[in-house]
Amino acid sequence: MVTITALACSIGGFVLIDGQFRSGLDTQAELIATENALLRRTLLRQMQFSRGSDQDEAVRLIEDGAISQDRDDLRFCLSDEMGRFLTGSHLNAESDLVASLGDRELGWEVLRSGEHFYLHAAAPVLLDDGTIYLENWREVGSLFSLRQTQYSVFFYVLLGILLVSALAALAVSAWITRPLGQLSEAVREVAGGELSRRVEVRGEDEVGQLSRDFNQMAQQLERHVEELTDTAHRQEDFLHSFAHETKTPLTAIIGYAELLLSRPARPELVRESAEYIFREGRRLENLSRKLMDIFVLEREGITTRQTEMDAFLEQAAGALRPALEKAGICLEVRADAGTAQIDPDLMESVLLNLMDNARKAVEPGGHILLEGAVVPDGYRVRVTDDGRGISPEDLSRITEPFYMVDKSRARAQGGAGLGLTVCQRIVALHGGILHFESEPGRGTRVSILVKGGERP
């Protein structure tokens, strides 16, 4: 900015001062040319009334004062064709102007003698015996002094302008780069782990857009880091829960096996130990199967087909109805006719898990309702019970691996906290939605929405 200002002002100032100087010089040149023409005309008119029209007569007239020289700023002389002085005032400077003129030309030049500047003009005068030259000049040092003064003044003005421009440029650059400095500081803080750092957005210019982009980037980065941190915590909880879930049945199996080895002669103890070993073994088998389901479902896709949902729901309910009747729990099925695009085996596993969870939550004499209905977005299946219900805190975590609302009751009933995790993965692979609603003391409702529902 300062460089551009210096160049622009320098060029502009030079053009302006030089233009004024040349204009004044041209004016003086016109003036001296006019004076030369008047002097020649006066000399020729005087010679018409004299004794002759030759060089000697012209010199005599000049020496006799036929042409007035009472003006201090007017100087003139006569010279021959070789440039030799004939008469008049002496010019204190060397000049080749006469030698360069033709017979009918008028010319002028600027001469310098020491500290003095002269505007010198010459023109030929044709006489009977040849040509002489009338030269006149005037001092124009004031023009050059004025130009030099203007250059000096302009130099100091230019320094002032450059100083002001430099200060203005510093102020403007500081004002412009201040948000960039804040952005740089914010970037360092974010790099240091302060992910909640944001910058103030000022205006709609490029810096403002950059500030908005930075805030958006920092927000997304903070969210991703929070998700990664939460995932790491969940994985840590998963490993701890997995170690605990496998340690408990293995400890029981080892303990009862040692008891069998130490007291093989007691049938009642053998039977009791065998029952514990069988139950804990089934628990380990169930745990490993569900873990395998999770990993397999992560890596493999599914093959779906159009399935009649009313018959499918009746079939799924029939598989669990004897166990529910034995527990004194009523199972009711209300299924509308319609179809859905599902994998029947995997979806049946989901329904059995959901109904088994409802069985564990419902006391004897309770009620479980399995519903199916065609909706605009597909086919919706609901499992509703009037059991203990789930608190809002637990409801947000029930699909996490190994998470159990009532750990002691779940383990006593052979649960491992993986059923709903598997259910969620299966429903997600179908492109569906698994939704939970519950109120402590009033029961739970689980809804499944899958694609492809249509009326028969």
Side-chain angles (χ1 to χ4, degrees):
M1 179 177 175
V2 174
T3 303
I4 293 174
T5 302
L7 289 175
C9 291
S10 299
I11 295 173
F14 174 79
V15 171
L16 178 62
I17 294 174
D18 188 69
Q20 290 180 341
F21 170 77
R22 290 186 178 278
S23 177
L25 190 63
D26 290 341
T27 300
Q28 291 294 326
E30 291 178 2
L31 178 60
I32 200 169
T34 301
E35 290 176 346
N36 187 282
L38 290 175
L39 289 172
R40 285 186 289 123
R41 191 177 300 115
T42 301
L43 177 62
L44 292 174
R45 186 165 51 250
Q46 291 293 332
M47 293 181 71
Q48 290 177 356
F49 300 101
S50 64
R51 292 169 294 182
S53 181
D54 55 12
Q55 178 177 310
D56 294 336
E57 184 64 17
V59 170
R60 186 188 67 78
L61 289 174
I62 295 297
E63 291 177 348
D64 291 344
I67 301 178
S68 176
Q69 302 187 49
D70 56 355
R71 291 173 51 188
D72 294 336
D73 61 343
L74 178 63
R75 298 288 186 271
F76 66 92
C77 68
L78 292 178
S79 59
D80 60 14
E81 294 179 326
M82 303 300 296
R84 291 189 296 267
F85 176 78
L86 297 178
T87 188
S89 303
H90 287 277
L91 176 63
N92 298 324
E94 296 293 333
S95 174
D96 296 327
L97 180 62
V98 172
S100 64
L101 294 178
D103 292 339
R104 299 181 181 277
E105 293 180 347
L106 182 145
W108 61 270
E109 64 179 350
V110 176
L111 297 177
R112 180 175 182 178
S113 177
E115 298 296 328
H116 299 278
F117 290 89
Y118 300 97
L119 190 61
H120 174 228
V125 179
L126 302 179
L127 300 177
D128 294 340
D129 58 349
T131 301
I132 63 173
Y133 288 88
L134 177 65
E135 302 179 52
N136 65 310
W137 61 90
R138 64 172 52 238
E139 190 170 355
V140 290
S142 59
L143 283 176
F144 289 89
S145 298
L146 178 61
R147 183 177 68 169
Q148 187 61 38
T149 301
Q150 289 176 335
Y151 278 141
S152 299
V153 172
F154 176 72
F155 174 75
Y156 291 108
V157 171
L158 180 61
L159 286 181
I161 292 175
L162 292 181
L163 179 60
V164 173
S165 299
L167 294 177
L170 287 176
V172 171
S173 62
W175 177 72
I176 291 176
T177 58
R178 183 180 177 185
L180 297 179
Q182 294 177 346
L183 275 172
S184 179
E185 179 183 357
V187 169
R188 288 193 297 269
E189 292 183 10
V190 170
E194 187 63 35
L195 300 180
S196 60
R197 182 70 162 87
R198 300 293 184 271
V199 296
E200 182 182 357
V201 178
R202 298 178 180 178
E204 299 295 329
D205 56 4
E206 292 81 358
V207 177
Q209 183 61 45
L210 181 61
S211 300
R212 279 189 291 272
D213 293 340
F214 171 82
N215 289 340
Q216 183 178 2
M217 178 202 70
Q219 182 178 357
Q220 292 179 352
L221 181 61
E222 183 179 16
R223 186 176 68 251
H224 291 161
V225 170
E226 289 176 353
E227 292 175 354
L228 290 174
T229 303
D230 184 63
T231 300
H233 289 161
R234 290 175 185 271
Q235 290 177 348
E236 185 177 358
D237 293 341
F238 178 90
L239 292 176
H240 290 166
S241 300
F242 178 73
H244 180 75
E245 291 297 329
T246 56
K247 180 180 179 181
T248 302
L250 284 175
T251 301
I253 290 173
I254 293 172
Y256 281 107
E258 290 178 346
L259 187 61
L260 284 175
L261 291 173
S262 62
R263 302 177 184 178
R266 296 178 59 180
E268 294 180 1
L269 183 60
V270 171
R271 185 167 49 255
E272 182 182 357
S273 299
E275 289 177 355
Y276 274 107
I277 292 173
F278 177 77
R279 184 169 62 249
E280 296 302 322
R282 289 297 298 271
R283 228 179 112 196
L284 276 176
E285 180 187 24
N286 187 41
L287 175 63
S288 62
R289 178 177 57 80
K290 291 188 176 181
L291 283 173
M292 184 60 68
D293 288 342
I294 292 176
F295 292 125
V296 169
L297 291 174
E298 288 274 339
R299 291 169 173 79
E300 297 182 1
I302 61 174
T303 302
T304 61
R305 67 172 184 267
Q306 202 77 1
T307 304
E308 296 289 340
M309 293 302 293
D310 50 347
F312 170 73
L313 295 180
E314 286 288 352
Q315 176 184 342
L320 202 60
R321 186 172 272 115
L324 294 175
E325 291 178 353
K326 183 178 180 180
I329 299 173
C330 175
L331 174 61
E332 181 181 0
V333 180
R334 301 175 188 170
D336 294 343
T339 61
Q341 196 74 21
I342 62 172
D343 181 319
D345 294 333
L346 290 178
M347 192 57 67
E348 183 176 358
S349 176
V350 172
L351 294 179
L352 292 178
N353 266 293
L354 296 179
M355 288 188 290
D356 189 54
N357 285 341
R359 175 186 65 81
K360 297 172 184 177
V362 173
E363 300 295 336
H367 181 264
I368 298 175
L369 175 62
L370 176 62
E371 298 177 280
V374 177
V375 294
D377 295 332
Y379 197 92
R380 184 183 63 206
V381 178
R382 282 179 175 174
V383 178
T384 307
D385 66 69
D386 55 2
R388 295 184 305 276
I390 306 172
S391 66
E393 296 80 11
D394 292 321
L395 192 64
S396 62
R397 300 188 59 191
I398 56 177
T399 58
E400 296 179 13
F402 293 112
Y403 186 81
M404 292 176 281
V405 176
D406 188 345
K407 297 183 183 296
S408 59
R409 184 183 180 97
R411 290 196 183 99
Q413 295 177 341
L418 290 171
L420 292 179
T421 303
V422 176
C423 292
Q424 187 182 49
R425 303 287 173 86
I426 293 174
V427 173
L429 287 173
H430 282 81
I433 300 173
L434 184 64
H435 179 67
F436 295 87
E437 301 173 68
S438 186
E439 185 177 347
R442 302 192 64 176
T444 302
R445 171 181 289 171
V446 185
S447 302
I448 304 172
L449 179 63
V450 290
K451 299 177 181 179
E454 58 182 23
R455 295 189 181 279

